[in-house]
Amino acid sequence: MGELSVNHLLGIKYLNESDIELIFETADHFKEVINRSIKKVPSLRDITIANIFFENSTRTRLSFELAEKRLSADVINFSAGQSSVKKGETLIDTVNNILSMKVDMVVMRHPNPGAGIFLSKHVKAAIVNAGDGAHEHPTQALLDSYSIREKLGDVAGKNVVIVGDILHSRVALSNIFALKLQGANVKVCGPKTLLPKYIESLGVGVETNLKKALNWCDVANMLRIQNERLDISYFPTTREYTQQFGVNKAMLNSLDKEIVIMHPGPINRGVEITSDVADSKQSIILNQVENGVAIRMAVIYLLASKIK
Amino acid sequence: MSQKVLLSSKEINIILHRLACQLLENHLDFKNTVLIGIQPRGIFLASRLAKILGEEYGVKDINLGFLDITFYRDDFRRGEKPLEANKTKIDFLVEDKKVVFIDDVLYTGRSIRAALTAIQSFGRPMEIELLTLIDRRFSRHLPIQPNYRGRQVDAINGEKVKVMWEENDGEDVIYLVKT
């Protein structure tokens, strides 16, 4: 086992293949740990981590906090809503104030793309990007690939389609980087208005017919329509979106093979997937959540081992 | 760098049989005893002892587990190299069991300290014993001593004890390496 090539996890773009392999191997060990009756190890008892969330989150924040506590790190939480950010404090000032309380690592979610990269250049702490605007969400992509690897044995050579709002999705971009790095074939599928121009330049295929995309793939990663980010109308109605890009059980049953259904959450049941699909045997949505803790433990552990 | 043979294959074999007999004397049918090999190097010794007990002394169904202590060590971030984790494989509860930790070399005692913490994740053992093939005298950092020892060795700090196993390294032999 080596060490990561990076000191921060800002995006999958900055990782290489062996980084991902190392994170997965480490996550295997932690997955065993979190399935014991005592789910905690004392590795990081001298590390303090600040979770700074400038944007709403349930799963990611709980998952990070749990991962940190399972590693015995001290954890402080901060949500922008209840803070002095509202009084006009800048990002660097906010973070430096937190760091002067002797914090070693910052997990940050921020609505602006590149916020993590900016921070890593100006403060002295390991930064983990927990989502920066429509840019990247690296731990989500890692746990998605890890879940595929767990379910299908390998990521390389698998056909993965990402369905939905690709334009506003940091999950999509991080997933594309991660899947390509591991040698998977990737297609994106959605209404033309929600597919970024030049997306092919990332080496992914484009498909606007859902049925065709599903017949091609081994894994379908269904994204949520992010109504909060849709500033203009990208499709006529939610109902029409569901008719064209929603997956239901009848459609799954009509495919030539059994595909794996993934979703990063939160699910809008009845929009991108129906309840019977979300709760079906083909869905690994809850496995993704479980793996999220193991992956985040691995990332935090590996980054912490580089803090001297 | 020079090395001399500390124990040959024949000597190791005799010692393993003696250690197996000593375990047998104290634990008889091993009904309430579990053997725990400490990862990474203790697992070969533990497997070998379990095999001798099973095949030559007719002890049936020995509980054998492997414990990884990486995440319990106290030198995280202090060493030059990142710590390497190994697989923990304990398919039984150690609650109220007699646990025997098995490791190839006892040196500073820190690994065993970590193992004492780690085993708590699997229950509260009735008692814990320690078996070690090589006991490096005068080098302990902690008040930890073995209950069963193969051979006591006086080695200075610059020296290293290298234990090789046939199933992993091609032959059974123990070297004292001077660097």
Side-chain angles (χ1 to χ4, degrees):
Chain A
M1 194 158 85
E3 55 177 8
L4 291 177
S5 66
V6 291
N7 293 320
H8 312 277
L9 181 68
L10 302 172
I12 302 291
K13 199 166 88 183
Y14 308 100
L15 300 182
N16 59 42
E17 228 181 306
S18 49
D19 287 334
I20 292 185
E21 192 48 42
L22 175 61
I23 291 170
F24 286 178
E25 275 170 21
T26 313
D28 285 340
H29 298 302
F30 286 126
K31 188 148 181 191
E32 186 265 316
V33 169
I34 60 176
N35 279 299
R36 294 179 190 168
S37 49
I38 295 170
K39 304 170 176 61
K40 211 171 157 128
V41 292
S43 305
L44 264 59
R45 66 203 144 182
D46 56 344
I47 295 271
T48 308
I49 303 177
N51 298 317
I52 308 184
F53 279 69
F54 291 92
E55 212 179 59
N56 294 336
S57 163
T58 323
R59 222 170 327 272
T60 307
R61 205 168 63 117
L62 285 179
S63 183
F64 266 112
E65 190 173 342
L66 204 54
E68 290 151 5
K69 288 183 169 166
R70 296 267 192 258
L71 290 166
S72 301
D74 289 316
V75 180
I76 50 173
N77 286 304
F78 164 100
S79 307
Q82 307 137 19
S83 69
S84 290
V85 175
K86 285 255 156 82
K87 300 175 190 165
E89 194 173 51
T90 66
L91 177 60
I92 291 183
D93 280 345
T94 303
V95 174
N96 270 331
N97 272 283
I98 294 170
L99 292 187
S100 28
M101 300 175 204
K102 307 288 173 224
V103 169
D104 308 286
M105 193 183 291
V106 173
V107 174
M108 184 173 74
R109 169 167 290 188
H110 199 280
N112 293 345
I117 299 159
F118 172 75
L119 205 59
S120 71
K121 287 180 181 153
H122 291 94
V123 304
K124 230 179 126 319
I127 311 286
V128 180
N129 179 6
D132 56 339
H135 180 221
E136 279 225 43
H137 190 354
T139 54
Q140 179 71 44
L142 290 168
L143 76 90
D144 286 346
S145 291
Y146 185 74
S147 303
I148 295 174
R149 170 180 176 267
E150 187 182 67
K151 179 82 181 171
L152 301 177
D154 205 353
V155 178
K158 297 289 178 299
N159 296 341
V160 181
V161 64
I162 306 171
V163 183
D165 179 358
I166 311 298
L167 186 62
H168 297 97
S169 175
R170 53 190 172 218
V171 175
L173 186 62
S174 287
N175 254 295
I176 290 169
F177 285 141
L179 292 166
K180 296 297 292 179
L181 201 55
Q182 295 168 89
N185 309 309
V186 186
K187 275 188 183 174
V188 293
C189 176
K192 271 232 165 80
T193 46
L194 287 173
L195 299 176
K197 264 188 194 172
Y198 314 118
I199 184 86
E200 294 94 334
S201 65
L202 294 176
V204 303
V206 174
E207 180 61 71
T208 48
N209 182 322
L210 181 67
K211 186 81 195 274
K212 273 191 196 159
L214 293 182
N215 260 326
W216 169 80
C217 74
D218 302 302
V219 179
N221 198 348
M222 309 299 300
L223 304 182
R224 181 176 64 95
I225 290 299
Q226 307 188 51
N227 286 315
E228 71 275 18
R229 290 190 210 277
L230 301 186
D231 40 354
I232 56 166
S233 235
Y234 289 90
F235 45 85
T237 60
T238 306
R239 190 162 160 266
E240 193 172 322
Y241 176 84
T242 303
Q243 279 176 352
Q244 287 209 31
F245 297 101
V247 173
N248 55 43
K249 200 76 216 262
M251 179 179 278
L252 278 191
N253 292 340
S254 74
L255 299 177
D256 312 335
K257 57 182 172 186
E258 199 165 277
I259 63 165
V260 178
I261 298 288
M262 296 172 62
H263 194 300
I267 308 175
N268 286 330
R269 284 177 183 255
V271 182
E272 62 273 6
I273 51 174
T274 54
S275 276
D276 50 2
V277 170
D279 305 330
S280 72
K281 271 204 317 235
Q282 282 164 266
S283 144
I284 56 166
I285 296 172
L286 291 176
N287 304 54
Q288 288 175 266
V289 180
E290 183 191 345
N291 289 338
V293 177
I295 282 287
R296 289 179 177 114
M297 284 173 84
V299 165
I300 291 167
Y301 178 82
L302 291 168
L303 287 177
S305 68
K306 298 194 81 178
I307 301 173
K308 293 293 175 200
Chain B
M1 199 178 81
S2 70
Q3 60 182 30
K4 68 166 193 196
V5 175
L6 213 54
L7 292 174
S8 68
S9 156
K10 198 176 161 197
E11 288 166 310
I12 292 172
N13 194 35
I14 293 168
I15 290 175
L16 289 181
H17 279 79
R18 174 183 34 96
L19 290 172
C21 285
Q22 285 178 324
L23 283 174
L24 205 56
E25 194 181 355
N26 283 352
H27 296 274
L28 297 171
D29 57 1
F30 284 78
K31 279 280 173 291
N32 205 33
T33 301
V34 302
L35 303 183
I36 301 283
I38 308 294
Q39 285 273 25
R41 303 288 304 181
I43 63 170
F44 303 110
L45 177 58
S47 308
R48 199 69 83 78
L49 285 171
K51 195 173 162 215
I52 293 176
L53 285 168
E55 288 178 2
E56 298 182 32
Y57 297 97
V59 184
K60 289 192 189 78
D61 306 322
I62 293 185
N63 282 317
L64 171 67
F66 302 141
L67 179 67
D68 182 62
I69 55 159
T70 309
F71 303 125
Y72 300 87
R73 294 185 67 102
D74 56 6
D75 54 356
F76 177 62
R77 300 196 291 125
R78 283 183 176 78
E80 289 295 300
K81 277 192 296 188
L83 298 173
E84 197 163 320
N86 290 286
K87 226 176 172 56
T88 289
K89 186 181 156 299
I90 298 181
D91 313 326
F92 41 80
L93 280 177
V94 299
E95 190 77 27
D96 281 333
K97 292 268 168 46
K98 294 179 182 173
V99 171
V100 185
F101 282 162
I102 298 177
D103 207 354
D104 58 354
V105 181
L106 178 62
Y107 182 33
T108 62
R110 284 177 192 270
S111 300
I112 301 304
R113 206 267 330 134
L116 288 167
T117 317
I119 198 69
Q120 289 172 358
S121 296
F122 299 90
R124 179 181 181 272
M126 186 201 281
E127 59 173 57
I128 300 178
E129 292 183 324
L130 173 61
L131 181 151
T132 176
L133 187 54
I134 300 293
D135 171 18
R136 293 186 63 169
R137 226 165 16 149
F138 309 131
S139 54
R140 216 75 79 235
H141 294 175
L142 297 165
I144 286 172
Q145 303 304 336
N147 302 75
Y148 313 91
R149 63 165 68 84
R151 178 65 66 87
Q152 205 160 41
V153 173
D154 294 339
I156 54 169
N157 276 336
E159 293 168 330
K160 208 174 163 312
V161 176
K162 202 159 81 180
V163 181
M164 321 272 273
W165 296 103
E166 194 185 335
E167 51 271 46
N168 192 59
D169 314 292
E171 59 169 341
D172 285 350
V173 62
I174 302 179
Y175 293 111
L176 184 65
V177 184
K178 288 190 172 74
T179 45

